[in-house]
Amino acid sequence: LKLKRAKAPHGVLVNSRVAIFISGRGSNLKSFLDSFSSSNVYVFSNKKVKGLDWAAKRGCHFELMNLKKDEVWHNISDRLNELKISKLFLLGFMKIIPAYFLESFKGKVINLHPSLLPAFPGLNSIEKSLKASSSVGVSLHEVNENMDEGPLIFQSALPEKNYNDLDFETDRVHSLEQQTVSAYVRLREI
Ligand code: GAR
């Protein structure tokens, strides 16, 4: 009987080049970089945020995007095409991406969101889910030109929740988000 060697839990290579867009503290980016080797990961942020420090520490290529400049989306599109990226993950990226950009990366742009979409798109989604006494969970979906919208790839809900403890539930959702992205990359063998 031949046993297959189990994949190492950390530092697994991403097989192809991926880009990650962020706008904030970058906990999902950090978790991504904890699980996958940084050599094929290209990080872009529209702000000087903590996430860029993670990228720098891990030796990732990273860039600050000035979204105020009109030509920027064309430039980024050229860069990603040059790099031949296979997926672009939005991990806490809080800007709408123009339709023409999405058109040239059809099926490749994937957003992570902390609610069971289509419920509670936008900001404060965990709080809104708890206030509405709805299920709390996360969604991974292909991106269209509207905010937190597009074909769903995967959703996962927390089994039970405490509607009165936002901090506790927020931590649980963030850890579910990190597991979700990691599972997607491994299962799709990106
Ligand atoms: C995450 O919860 C992510 O799902 C959410 O922003 C947070 C970023 O946290 N994204 C959205 O709300 C997209 N609409 P992070 O910067 O620590 O990864």
Side-chain angles (χ1 to χ4, degrees):
L1 177 68
K2 234 182 171 185
L3 289 177
K4 261 194 168 176
R5 187 190 286 253
K7 278 192 178 172
H10 292 293
V12 175
L13 265 183
V14 182
N15 294 319
S16 51
R17 288 183 175 164
V18 300
I20 298 181
F21 283 11
I22 58 168
S23 297
R25 94 203 140 113
S27 65
N28 284 287
L29 169 69
K30 179 178 182 292
S31 147
F32 193 99
L33 297 175
D34 282 344
S35 299
F36 301 105
S37 156
S38 54
S39 56
N40 283 338
V41 180
Y42 294 76
V43 178
F44 296 79
S45 174
N46 62 310
K47 289 180 185 171
K48 278 193 181 165
V49 287
K50 186 146 185 80
L52 286 180
D53 297 340
W54 298 125
K57 265 192 201 141
R58 298 303 160 91
C60 282
H61 178 91
F62 63 92
E63 283 182 39
L64 199 56
M65 318 184 263
N66 182 356
L67 296 185
K68 284 182 190 133
K69 288 191 177 165
D70 287 345
E71 71 281 11
V72 72
W73 285 109
H74 289 290
N75 295 343
I76 297 166
S77 160
D78 289 348
R79 287 276 296 121
L80 299 187
N81 277 321
E82 260 167 43
L83 291 168
K84 297 195 169 45
I85 65 121
S86 65
K87 292 283 177 221
L88 162 55
F89 292 101
L90 310 183
L91 302 183
F93 185 65
M94 298 308 199
K95 294 282 176 190
I96 298 285
I97 299 184
Y100 67 82
F101 179 99
L102 294 171
E103 192 55 39
S104 56
F105 293 99
K106 246 198 168 124
K108 291 184 177 173
V109 187
I110 291 169
N111 182 40
L112 175 69
H113 185 75
S115 77
L116 297 169
L117 293 170
F120 314 115
L123 297 174
N124 307 320
S125 308
I126 304 170
E127 191 175 357
K128 286 177 190 159
S129 306
L130 291 171
K131 272 200 181 133
S133 300
S134 311
S135 293
V136 174
V138 309
S139 304
L140 207 57
H141 67 96
E142 281 179 28
V143 174
N144 69 18
E145 65 274 27
N146 299 317
M147 186 178 58
D148 299 324
E149 206 187 275
L152 284 168
I153 298 168
F154 186 76
Q155 289 188 307
S156 182
L158 291 175
E160 77 288 319
K161 62 236 148 239
N162 179 347
Y163 293 107
N164 299 316
D165 196 339
L166 177 60
D167 289 345
F168 179 68
E169 295 304 330
T170 299
D171 283 349
R172 293 174 78 210
V173 170
H174 286 153
S175 118
L176 188 59
E177 288 191 312
Q178 293 164 14
Q179 290 163 29
T180 301
V181 175
S182 179
Y184 175 80
V185 174
R186 286 167 203 272
L187 290 172
R188 295 282 168 100
E189 298 188 337
I190 284 164

